[in-house]
Amino acid sequence: MRLIICKNYNEASCWAANYIAGRIKNFAARADKPFVLGLPTGSSPLGIYREFRSLYEKRQLSFTNVITFNMDEYVGLDAGHPQSYRRFMMENLFNHVDIDKGNIHILNGMAEDLTAECRAYEESIRACGGIELFVGGMGSDGHIAFNEPGSSLHSRTRVKTLTRDTKIANARFFDGDPDKVPSTALTVGVGTVMDAREVLIIVSGHSKARALHAVIEEGVNHLWTLSCLQMHQRAIIVCDEDATDELKVGTVRYFKEIETSVAERKG
């Protein structure tokens, strides 16, 4: 696992966006060899999406041969709902870049058969050859997507009941009222994320410090679902200084020294 420690959220977002853009460019994607990208919603990736838009406007990034799969969607919110994740993605990224709308995959929270919808989503990922790079954020309790604490580390895309803590955290998008937050969502599983050939997670703020400590310095534990990254062959966590507040000094120094050495070799 790599831990990239940046000064603040903006620097972390820039680092992550440029890294992802470089991966897409170096992949040399084409119509018969698309780059399959997993994407999150919420506040964590907003800076990345802002940088994506900027890179696209500078003609330094193209989504022409990129296929995307989003992590999750609320059950019961149609695509036009102000807080649906489909609308979030269209407004914050897809409407501003050159992606083929047919290459966008987002779970349908209005599907008549939610189990079938989840099964079809997994099948679509497999049909595209699997996800090359899955981008994500982390909740303050260490969860990824809507895989709440206690989720199986082998879980697949499914219907998930949201905890009260998650509803309170997301209430800011629903007039500050947790009771307006849907009680269930469709989400990719921990196993779905782990199947990706690479995973990049952005983490910022002191509120995530305890979870980051558990994910990096403690053992693999389904109560901190993102700790699964310890078992991934190619995982990167990009964080700001505030998020490292509960890491050991030696841990922070170790990861900073590694990245300094990498930069020196490249220089």
Side-chain angles (χ1 to χ4, degrees), residues 17-249:
N18 281 281
Y19 179 84
I20 298 163
R23 287 279 282 109
I24 294 172
K25 181 179 179 180
N26 292 336
F27 189 83
R30 53 183 192 265
D32 62 340
K33 181 195 167 187
F35 189 95
V36 185
L37 180 66
L39 294 173
T41 51
S43 56
S44 293
L46 284 174
I48 294 176
Y49 296 159
R50 180 191 65 231
E51 292 301 319
F52 278 171
R53 297 194 303 268
S54 176
L55 290 169
Y56 170 72
E57 290 168 1
K58 296 174 184 175
R59 298 185 179 181
Q60 296 175 2
L61 174 62
S62 172
F63 289 85
T64 300
N65 294 310
V66 174
I67 294 176
T68 64
F69 286 88
N70 263 82
M71 282 189 161
D72 40 32
E73 179 60 283
Y74 287 114
V75 170
L77 300 190
D78 61 43
H81 190 283
Q83 300 307 328
S84 79
Y85 286 159
R86 177 174 289 276
R87 182 164 173 175
F88 174 97
M89 291 304 303
M90 300 307 293
E91 293 181 349
N92 287 287
L93 181 61
F94 296 145
N95 284 340
H96 307 281
V97 296
D98 59 346
I99 191 167
D100 182 336
K101 299 304 188 287
N103 286 342
I104 296 169
H105 298 81
I106 301 175
L107 286 154
N108 178 13
M110 298 295 290
E112 288 188 17
D113 187 335
L114 296 175
T115 300
E117 171 69 12
C118 294
R119 185 168 54 248
Y121 206 66
E122 289 276 344
E123 291 171 355
S124 294
I125 293 173
R126 285 193 292 272
C128 289
I131 293 175
E132 184 68 25
L133 172 60
F134 222 135
V135 184
M138 180 186 73
S140 59
D141 58 3
H143 75 256
I144 182 171
F146 277 127
N147 294 288
E148 306 282 22
S151 295
S152 167
L153 299 186
H154 293 285
S155 56
R156 312 304 303 187
T157 303
R158 67 205 186 286
V159 183
K160 196 75 176 69
T161 300
L162 305 185
T163 65
R164 184 67 178 175
D165 284 348
T166 294
K167 294 180 72 172
I168 290 172
N170 290 350
R172 65 190 187 277
F173 303 116
F174 292 84
D175 302 321
D177 185 355
D179 292 328
K180 291 184 179 180
V181 180
S183 295
T184 54
L186 304 183
T187 182
V188 297
V190 179
T192 312
V193 175
M194 289 291 285
D195 279 352
R197 286 178 278 280
E198 184 172 15
V199 180
L200 184 150
I201 305 295
I202 184 165
V203 179
S204 68
H206 180 76
S207 64
K208 306 290 181 71
R210 180 168 174 258
L212 189 63
H213 155 69
V215 166
I216 291 177
E217 295 183 326
E218 296 184 358
V220 177
N221 188 332
H222 67 161
L223 295 179
W224 303 92
T225 54
L226 193 62
S227 65
C228 66
L229 289 190
Q230 295 179 32
M231 301 184 294
H232 200 284
Q233 292 184 340
R234 194 172 182 183
I236 303 175
I237 295 178
V238 186
C239 71
D240 59 14
E241 292 281 358
D242 287 345
T244 68
D245 280 356
E246 295 204 22
L247 294 180
K248 295 175 183 176
V249 172

